[in-house]
Amino acid sequence: MADRKHIIAGNWKMHKTQAETRSFVQGLIAGLQVTEAGCEVIIAPPFTSVPAAVQEARGTSIQVSGQDLHWEDNGAFTGEVSGPMLAEAGCSHVIVGHSERRQYFGESDETVNLKLKAAMRAGLVPIFCLGETLDERQQGRTFSVVKHQLRDGMKDVGIPDAARFVIAYEPVWAIGTGQTATPEQAQEIHEFLRNELAALCGTKIGDDVRILYGGSVKPENARSLMSRKDIDGGLVGGASLKLDDFIGIIRQDM
Ligand code: PGA
């Protein structure tokens, strides 16, 4: 089995000013010997707080991610931010296709595909989110939904690029609801996604790509989820806003 280094990523969504970001990152550095962390630690602040996060995290192993990007590198797209802009600001990663983007901002598998390719062009590691809604799960469509999201998102992505992807399986019904997928439910989908990835890009990429779980991850459930064979860490929303909870989750994954 491949030795995949785990990732704990905090998706702050539309939370935390620059001042709040600075004090959080200082607290994270003080509270956790990040060098001691066995996993990669990533935070994804809102765009305006990215420079503050990058500055505070300098010299540590904490990495900073954008929460979204436009598929063009520049142009007349009011309100948007591009991959090269995030990279210049110091981001190493960018979240693509989060269910809130899909639900509220018209993100489709096609725009997700364009954004994944834009992230690769900019040298960013995409954290590619996918997952089924409650309706889709109840209709027994989970496997076909995530398979199509994966295939459509990865369309025309070359093999060397695919090796750099991080995938986040986030069942929509578990996001912000307090209702976590059981470790068994999550492992089943992660294994399925890994097999699909292997079918698309070869077994080496299938083995190496990290697949994170997201949806109501907290310190209490982190260990049971992340000890599963194909669960390589977590994309954490609500609990990543509270320093103690975020550190607690990182510790559980050590
Ligand atoms: P949650 O969010 O941890 O608050 O459920 C996860 C996410 O949206 O990435």
Side-chain angles (χ1 to χ4, degrees):
M1 199 181 84
D3 187 17
R4 293 181 295 268
K5 188 165 191 189
H6 279 203
I7 296 174
I8 300 293
N11 172 14
W12 289 358
K13 311 191 180 187
M14 200 170 70
H15 295 283
K16 295 201 191 289
T17 62
Q18 297 185 52
E20 289 164 346
T21 298
R22 285 187 192 283
S23 76
F24 185 97
V25 178
Q26 287 162 6
L28 185 58
I29 295 165
L32 176 83
Q33 296 305 318
V34 179
T35 44
E36 100 201 11
C39 59
E40 289 183 36
V41 176
I42 303 171
I43 50 171
F47 292 137
T48 49
S49 294
V50 162
V54 168
Q55 222 173 53
E56 295 298 331
R58 192 159 288 146
T60 75
S61 59
I62 299 167
Q63 302 171 87
V64 180
S65 174
Q67 295 180 10
D68 186 31
L69 80 170
H70 194 270
W71 58 82
E72 295 290 346
D73 294 345
N74 46 57
F77 301 105
T78 301
E80 293 292 305
V81 170
S82 74
M85 292 168 186
L86 290 174
E88 187 204 33
C91 288
S92 51
H93 294 68
V94 61
I95 297 170
V96 177
H98 189 278
S99 68
E100 285 150 18
R101 301 295 318 170
R102 295 178 190 256
Q103 188 178 350
Y104 304 125
F105 302 98
E107 194 86 274
S108 65
D109 289 331
E110 194 187 349
T111 56
V112 168
N113 175 249
L114 293 172
K115 289 181 176 192
L116 289 171
K117 290 191 262 195
M120 302 310 306
R121 270 200 314 279
L124 297 163
V125 175
I127 303 174
F128 171 20
C129 302
L130 43 79
E132 81 287 1
T133 62
L134 185 58
D135 272 359
E136 289 163 344
R137 178 162 280 263
Q138 284 170 343
Q139 291 161 11
R141 293 173 51 218
T142 301
F143 290 101
S144 80
V145 166
V146 297
K147 176 177 174 168
H148 281 104
Q149 287 174 331
L150 182 74
R151 290 198 170 230
D152 293 352
M154 305 280 295
K155 193 160 169 265
D156 303 326
V157 172
I159 301 278
D161 280 347
R164 297 180 43 222
F165 271 53
V166 173
I167 292 174
Y169 168 59
E170 299 205 306
V172 179
W173 48 271
I175 296 178
T177 58
Q179 202 188 331
T180 321
T182 64
E184 293 72 28
Q185 281 173 322
Q187 165 58 29
E188 185 183 33
I189 306 299
H190 281 232
E191 186 172 9
F192 175 78
L193 287 169
R194 196 174 296 295
N195 291 336
E196 281 299 312
L197 203 56
L200 279 176
C201 307
T203 46
K204 168 101 179 81
I205 288 176
D207 276 348
D208 289 350
V209 164
R210 269 89 53 94
I211 308 180
L212 314 183
Y213 168 79
S216 300
V217 174
K218 16 183 201 274
E220 300 77 48
N221 60 25
R223 191 181 295 255
S224 60
L225 284 159
M226 281 149 219
S227 57
R228 295 296 164 132
K229 179 164 79 65
D230 292 299
I231 304 182
D232 308 312
L235 180 56
V236 188
S240 74
L241 296 171
K242 297 179 218 119
L243 194 53
D244 288 351
D245 284 355
F246 194 52
I247 291 176
I249 291 168
I250 295 167
R251 290 234 163 91
Q252 289 301 317
D253 195 37
M254 278 175 183

